[in-house]
Amino acid sequence: MLGKALKLIRSYYDLSQTELSSQLGLSNSHLSEIESGKKQPSIDLLKKYSEYFDVPLSSILFFSENLDSPRPTDHMRLGIAKTIVSLLEWNENRNAAKEKHKSKAQAR
């Protein structure tokens, strides 16, 4: 889920993978593999995300917490995390629709 959270953060700021990979000093393919969950990001990369987007590292890690050990607050925390992810996905879809509309308008 960490890769998905990183992708949603990038999308929220309306950055392409190419733009962000250039800013963070890594290859586009490496970023793609992280966002798709094929590779795990290093702590150094997570710190770069934290600094670049001015988001606390703990907030980024919140999305990837392992909920294997049940606690009384897990249900509530999971619900909050799902709501945040849903909002970020909505924003990602909205940005994609804007970009599609923009491309169509430029083609005319």
Side-chain angles (χ1 to χ4, degrees):
M1 191 156 162
L2 182 55
K4 185 175 184 177
L6 295 176
K7 178 182 179 185
L8 292 171
I9 291 169
R10 174 185 59 77
S11 178
Y12 176 79
Y13 286 96
D14 203 20
L15 291 171
S16 68
Q17 281 184 342
T18 303
E19 292 169 326
L20 183 58
S21 62
S22 175
Q23 292 294 320
L24 298 180
L26 65 148
S27 73
N28 192 36
S29 61
H30 185 69
L31 181 58
S32 176
E33 289 176 321
I34 288 171
E35 288 185 355
S36 67
K38 293 178 183 174
K39 289 189 176 179
Q40 289 297 314
S42 66
I43 293 295
D44 288 336
L45 180 59
L46 292 174
K47 287 179 185 176
K48 286 181 182 182
Y49 264 86
S50 175
E51 291 168 7
Y52 185 80
F53 292 111
D54 195 26
V55 174
L57 183 57
S58 60
S59 295
I60 294 172
L61 293 175
F62 176 77
F63 291 112
S64 67
E65 286 184 333
N66 184 345
L67 300 176
D68 286 341
S69 58
R71 293 174 289 202
T73 59
D74 280 351
H75 182 70
M76 179 179 66
R77 291 172 53 210
L78 182 58
I80 291 169
K82 285 182 179 181
T83 300
I84 292 168
V85 168
S86 294
L87 288 170
L88 291 171
E89 286 175 333
W90 171 82
N91 188 66
E92 179 182 31
N93 293 334
R94 185 188 70 159
N95 287 341
K98 281 192 321 190
E99 193 61 37
K100 185 177 178 181
H101 180 70
K102 183 179 172 183
S103 295
K104 285 183 180 181
Q106 289 175 349
R108 292 181 196 160

